[in-house]
Amino acid sequence: MKINNKLIFVLIIIITITAIIFKIYSDKNDEANIDNNTNLEERNNIYENVNMEISNVQKEDEEAKENLEKGKENIITVTEENFEESVIKSDKIVIVDFWASWCTPCTYMSPILEEIAEENEDVILGKVNVDEEEALSIKYQVTRIPTMIIFKNGKEEKQIIGIASKEKILKYINEIK
């Protein structure tokens, strides 16, 4: 009988330990489920916030593009095909900017020229990529870039070679007006 009592005692201990382990495991699963539900709610909230933020950024981006397009109405790409209509027949002063993507001084001048065109309704900036429009470069004897040629009523009024300040370009424009 002593063996049976010991066996029963060991079985009770094993069952108790198993019950305790089961309880601990069960509690952890309950906590994990609560955490998972909470995390799911938090993730849904974050997802909604991100979607709202994306929507706001898209609206701002569209507004910025519209504003940019409004300011860039006076900036055009000039080609051999549209040169006559865009430059020669224009009733506005046209600054024709001969440039290339690889030209560092050209990249410096570009925002200055764009700013002038955006700020002056009576000025158009015509951009000629010399790599794509060699015929125009030859016709106007452009051997160095950047070269800006200012036209009024279809007539070449001033040629600027190299970097020039905004003030200097505006001075030339005002002299031509």
Side-chain angles (χ1 to χ4, degrees):
M1 288 266 197
K2 286 185 181 181
I3 294 177
N4 284 341
N5 285 340
K6 283 183 180 180
L7 185 59
I8 291 173
F9 180 72
V10 169
L11 285 174
I12 292 173
I13 291 175
I14 290 173
I15 291 171
T16 305
I17 291 172
T18 303
I20 292 170
I21 290 172
F22 180 76
K23 175 72 173 148
I24 290 171
Y25 180 75
S26 176
D27 288 347
K28 284 189 178 180
N29 272 347
D30 289 343
E31 289 173 13
N33 286 336
I34 290 169
D35 286 345
N36 282 340
N37 289 338
T38 302
N39 285 340
L40 183 61
E41 289 174 23
E42 288 176 12
R43 279 187 250 141
N44 284 338
N45 287 338
I46 291 170
Y47 181 74
E48 287 176 21
N49 289 338
V50 167
N51 279 338
M52 285 176 43
E53 196 62 35
I54 289 171
S55 178
N56 289 339
V57 168
Q58 287 172 336
K59 287 177 187 174
E60 290 171 2
D61 189 42
E62 288 172 13
E63 289 172 6
K65 283 180 185 176
E66 288 173 13
N67 290 337
L68 192 61
E69 290 304 315
K70 286 178 187 172
K72 299 221 176 190
E73 292 171 349
N74 288 355
I75 301 171
I76 58 173
T77 299
V78 175
T79 64
E80 192 173 10
E81 290 78 33
N82 72 1
F83 189 85
E84 179 80 21
E85 193 66 36
S86 301
V87 178
I88 302 301
K89 293 183 178 178
S90 178
D91 59 346
K92 295 183 178 183
I93 293 174
V94 182
I95 303 171
V96 179
D97 175 26
F98 290 86
W99 68 282
S101 60
W102 47 265
C103 169
T104 302
C106 297
T107 59
Y108 173 78
M109 287 303 302
S110 186
I112 293 171
L113 296 170
E114 288 177 9
E115 193 173 298
I116 290 170
E118 290 169 6
E119 293 174 355
N120 297 279
E121 293 179 7
D122 58 339
V123 175
I124 293 175
L125 172 61
K127 305 207 37 96
V128 177
N129 185 330
V130 296
D131 291 330
E132 297 172 1
E133 300 296 329
E134 290 181 37
L136 285 175
S137 300
I138 292 168
K139 181 176 181 179
Y140 288 95
Q141 301 173 351
V142 175
T143 57
R144 293 178 284 162
I145 54 175
T147 294
M148 288 76 60
I149 302 175
I150 303 174
F151 288 84
K152 181 179 179 187
N153 298 325
K155 182 180 167 213
E156 183 178 334
E157 296 287 337
K158 181 73 178 168
Q159 189 174 90
I160 306 164
I161 299 171
I163 294 175
S165 68
K166 178 180 177 181
E167 292 76 23
K168 186 175 185 179
I169 297 169
L170 287 173
K171 178 181 171 242
Y172 293 140
I173 291 170
N174 287 329
E175 287 173 1
I176 293 169
K177 286 183 181 179

